[in-house]
């Protein structure tokens, strides 16, 4: 079992930056069933979308909408996963969630409570 807590969200002007943190109650990949950690976001009236995952062996991927602006990373012990968000746009406004799961289906695994990111124009 892994408990996740997101933090770092807030209100920022377009072009600004935020760094989100996903703090885990234990080393995330000490749980055998966990293969990846993903940052998801959900805007009002929209489906939850995968923004950026990182796998057990460190591979990363980014949605086209954030590529070149966002970076996912982790600490050496895999206790925290970060999402550095630069050049923020109003379209990035959403609740951001951290997910540790066997796969990236958007529903399984462990989820945090979410952190609100609001980008003003």
């Amino acid at each position: 079992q892994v408990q996740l807590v997101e933090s770092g969200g807030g209100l920022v002007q377009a072009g600004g930056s935020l760094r989100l943190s996903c703090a885990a109650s234990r080393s995330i990949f000490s749980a055998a069933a966990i293969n990846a950690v993903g940052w998801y976001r959900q805007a009002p009236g929209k489906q939850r979308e995968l923004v950026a995952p990182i796998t057990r062996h460190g591979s990363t991927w980014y949605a086209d909408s954030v590529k070149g602006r966002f970076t996912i990373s982790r600490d050496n012990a895999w206790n925290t996963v970060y999402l550095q968000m630069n050049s923020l746009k109003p379209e990035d406004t959403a609740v951001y969630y951290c997910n540790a799961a066997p796969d990236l289906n958007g529903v399984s695994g462990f989820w945090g409570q979410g952190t609100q990111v609001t980008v003003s124009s």
Side-chain angles (χ1 to χ4, degrees):
Q1 300 290 317
V2 179
Q3 293 175 276
L4 305 173
V5 178
E6 301 96 333
S7 63
L11 175 64
V12 65
Q13 291 185 320
S17 298
L18 287 172
R19 190 192 194 199
L20 306 184
S21 296
C22 174
S25 58
R26 59 184 292 183
S27 180
I28 293 171
F29 292 118
S30 67
I34 304 301
N35 293 315
V37 177
W39 281 100
Y40 290 76
R41 67 186 182 187
Q42 187 167 26
K46 302 291 184 65
Q47 292 184 311
R48 185 174 296 179
E49 65 171 335
L50 178 62
V51 174
I54 184 167
T55 69
R56 179 184 290 269
H57 57 279
S59 296
T60 60
W61 176 91
Y62 299 93
D64 287 342
S65 59
V66 307
K67 195 171 298 181
R69 300 188 297 118
F70 290 12
T71 303
I72 189 169
S73 62
R74 48 83 172 184
D75 65 6
N76 290 337
W78 283 102
N79 287 311
T80 307
V81 176
Y82 304 96
L83 185 68
Q84 178 67 46
M85 307 187 296
N86 298 326
S87 302
L88 283 162
K89 304 175 180 179
E91 306 92 270
D92 296 318
T93 295
V95 177
Y96 284 71
Y97 298 91
C98 181
N99 171 234
D103 55 55
L104 299 169
N105 62 22
V107 294
S108 63
F110 305 100
W111 293 84
Q113 83 291 343
T115 185
Q116 176 71 48
V117 172
T118 302
V119 184
S120 62
S121 60

